[in-house]
Amino acid sequence: MSNLNGKVAIVTGAASGIGKATAMLLAQRGAAVVVADRHGDAAAEVAAAIEAVGGSAAAVTTDVAHEDQIEAMVATAVDRFGGLDILHNNAAILDPEVVSQDIDVTQIDADVFARVLQVNVGGYLLGAKHAIPHMIARGGGAIINTASSAGVQAEYVRPMYGTSKAAVIGMTRNIATRYGKDGIRCIAVSPGLIMTEAAVAAFPQEIVDGFVRHSLANRAGVPEDVAHLVAFLASDEAAYINGINISIDGGLSVHFPNYADDRDAMGG
Ligand SMILES: NC(=O)c1ccc[n+]([C@@H]2O[C@H](COP(=O)([O-])OP(=O)(O)OC[C@H]3O[C@@H](n4cnc5c(N)ncnc54)[C@H](O)[C@@H]3O)[C@@H](O)[C@H]2O)c1
């Protein structure tokens, strides 16, 4: 089990879903965690839950669309906990009013696209911008960027989302390449379907069943699946991993698209 004792971490979008599970697990593994989310009250609840079981946490209200708020988030880590070792860039714009406009490239509103890029890509880039100097001051650090299967493979819908997540994977390689020899590791994780509370509410059971049918696992993902990967990648045990994108999708992306049909045809 990866040990994060003595490390300081920031998780963005940490009030719910994957970010919340990661913040809780990093703290359980010994890191002091800055729980950052645009919903400050919900972030405070996560920080309180970490402290209730003996962990160290601080909540900050951070909208990653605003550079001054990202700077303040990083300053909280440094001022409260003495430095920064781990940044999990994870917040993404998943608001129903945006997702409902992200259906077809011929109907994209340029302002909405700019907002998606500002949060999903700019938020990560600016997080890295302000984190890296503090990490280098401590001899290095790990930046884990939550991308998505939708950044590797195309969905039928969500062209803006998919474009933003592909950009995250490219940005990850760039940061690793530029700062690897300074001790910075930057790694993308690309979840498939993860049953967060929002996903449970949003996806009809037929869609979930379709994912599972094409997956090599017998279930959809849960936030803790991603949290465990992030905790490992953030630890010194992952010291030789840099710049790559790791799919965490139950094996959905490794096989021919006719996998489930072949399996059915063979009575599997
Ligand atoms: N759940 C999935 O199936 C899935 C699959 C692939 C990728 N992802 C990615 O995982 C990450 C987390 O998503 P989730 O599924 O846990 O969703 P979620 O809605 O449960 O959590 C997202 C969190 O980000 C916060 N947030 C949104 N915009 C923000 C902003 N501008 N500044 C700060 N915080 C902001 C929200 O308040 C929320 O707490 C996202 O990057 C998402 O694209 C999720």
Side-chain angles (χ1 to χ4, degrees), residues 92-94 102 116 120 147-148 150 155 158-165:
I93 191 160
L94 301 165
D102 192 7
V116 169
N120 294 13
S148 171
E155 292 181 291
R158 297 205 295 179
M160 294 191 278
Y161 179 79
T163 300
S164 75
K165 292 303 189 177

Side-chain angles (χ1 to χ4, degrees), residues 6-265:
K7 294 196 186 288
V8 180
I10 296 173
V11 181
T12 71
S16 63
I18 291 168
K20 176 180 174 182
T22 304
M24 306 279 292
L25 187 65
L26 297 183
Q28 197 185 313
R29 297 275 168 90
V33 181
V34 174
V35 180
D37 202 283
R38 65 182 173 166
H39 293 134
D41 290 348
E45 283 176 25
V46 174
I50 289 171
E51 294 202 308
V53 292
S56 296
V60 286
T61 306
T62 307
D63 184 333
V64 300
H66 299 285
E67 185 167 6
D68 57 336
Q69 294 184 31
I70 290 175
E71 257 186 294
M73 171 184 85
V74 171
T76 299
V78 175
D79 296 346
R80 279 287 296 277
F81 300 120
L84 180 62
D85 306 289
I86 299 160
L87 170 63
H88 182 200
N89 277 320
N90 173 74
I93 191 160
L94 301 165
D95 308 32
E97 72 270 19
V98 171
V99 175
S100 64
Q101 292 189 67
D102 192 7
I103 304 296
D104 182 331
V105 73
T106 64
Q107 284 152 34
I108 292 301
D109 179 318
D111 291 339
V112 178
F113 184 48
R115 205 167 137 224
V116 169
L117 289 183
Q118 186 180 22
V119 174
N120 294 13
V121 185
Y124 286 23
L125 192 67
L126 294 173
K129 171 184 172 181
H130 291 285
I132 286 170
H134 292 288
M135 291 176 170
I136 290 176
R138 274 158 80 95
I143 300 171
I144 320 295
N145 293 327
T146 307
S148 171
S149 296
V152 182
Q153 298 161 283
E155 292 181 291
Y156 187 62
V157 291
R158 297 205 295 179
M160 294 191 278
Y161 179 79
T163 300
S164 75
K165 292 303 189 177
V168 165
I169 293 167
M171 181 205 307
T172 299
R173 284 192 288 263
N174 190 283
I175 292 169
T177 301
R178 176 64 182 80
Y179 285 103
K181 287 200 184 288
D182 295 306
I184 302 294
R185 293 183 300 112
C186 188
I187 299 147
V189 296
S190 282
L193 179 61
I194 304 295
M195 299 310 287
T196 59
E197 280 178 33
V200 169
F203 289 112
Q205 193 58 41
E206 308 89 89
I207 300 277
V208 177
D209 291 346
F211 267 95
V212 174
R213 185 169 165 263
H214 287 281
S215 162
L216 306 182
N218 290 317
R219 62 172 176 83
V222 293
E224 290 71 20
D225 289 322
V226 183
H228 279 97
L229 176 59
V230 175
F232 167 67
L233 293 173
S235 76
D236 294 340
E237 292 167 359
Y240 205 52
I241 301 174
N242 207 350
I244 58 164
N245 173 54
I246 299 178
S247 292
I248 173 158
D249 62 359
L252 188 77
S253 55
V254 301
H255 52 67
F256 287 122
N258 53 333
Y259 158 80
D261 301 329
D262 283 356
R263 190 165 182 271
D264 286 350

